[in-house]
Amino acid sequence: YVGWLRAHGTVMYFGLTCIAMITAGGAVREAAYALRIRAPWQLDVLLLVLAAALVTLGVVNAVLGPVFDEAMKDRIENITEWWAASIFVLVFAVLAALMRHNRIAVQLTQAGS
């Protein structure tokens, strides 16, 4: 049960988060191109590069997995999952830097207050 959950949960989390990153990267790039936000150091482009790297890792994992034995397949999965998780952190850091640079803030209030 745990193996099934790990395999399918990981695929869903990584896959859906990748789609969200591509969507956010595209929206940020479009906003920067239209000069609605400022994107220093080409951070808008970096978001798209990181999303492309994430997709590439997924393809590498899918292509190389069936070629090798089970032990090597597990190693490849672990490596690609750790690299993908590192990319996630970088994307979130880039988004935070863009929000800070553009003074975008979120204010949470309690409903009915």
Side-chain angles (χ1 to χ4, degrees):
Y1 178 74
V2 172
W4 181 91
L5 219 100
R6 179 176 183 252
H8 291 83
T10 302
V11 167
M12 291 297 293
Y13 175 72
F14 279 71
L16 294 175
T17 304
C18 182
I19 291 169
M21 288 178 179
I22 291 168
T23 303
V28 166
R29 178 69 189 120
E30 184 179 309
Y33 186 75
L35 302 176
R36 291 191 306 268
I37 65 168
R38 293 169 295 154
W41 314 294
Q42 300 255 307
L43 291 180
D44 54 328
V45 176
L46 180 59
L47 283 175
L48 295 175
V49 169
L50 290 171
L54 193 59
V55 170
T56 302
L57 280 173
V59 171
V60 166
N61 190 24
V63 170
L64 291 183
V67 174
F68 294 104
D69 64 7
E70 198 63 33
M72 183 58 83
K73 180 182 173 185
D74 286 343
R75 292 169 105 185
I76 291 169
E77 283 181 1
N78 284 336
I79 290 168
T80 55
E81 287 171 6
W82 276 102
W83 274 102
S86 299
I87 290 171
F88 283 10
V89 171
L90 285 172
V91 167
F92 299 141
V94 169
L95 287 172
L98 283 166
M99 289 176 70
R100 183 181 177 110
H101 186 78
N102 287 280
R103 299 176 188 246
I104 298 170
V106 176
Q107 183 177 356
L108 302 175
T109 60
Q110 187 172 2
S113 297

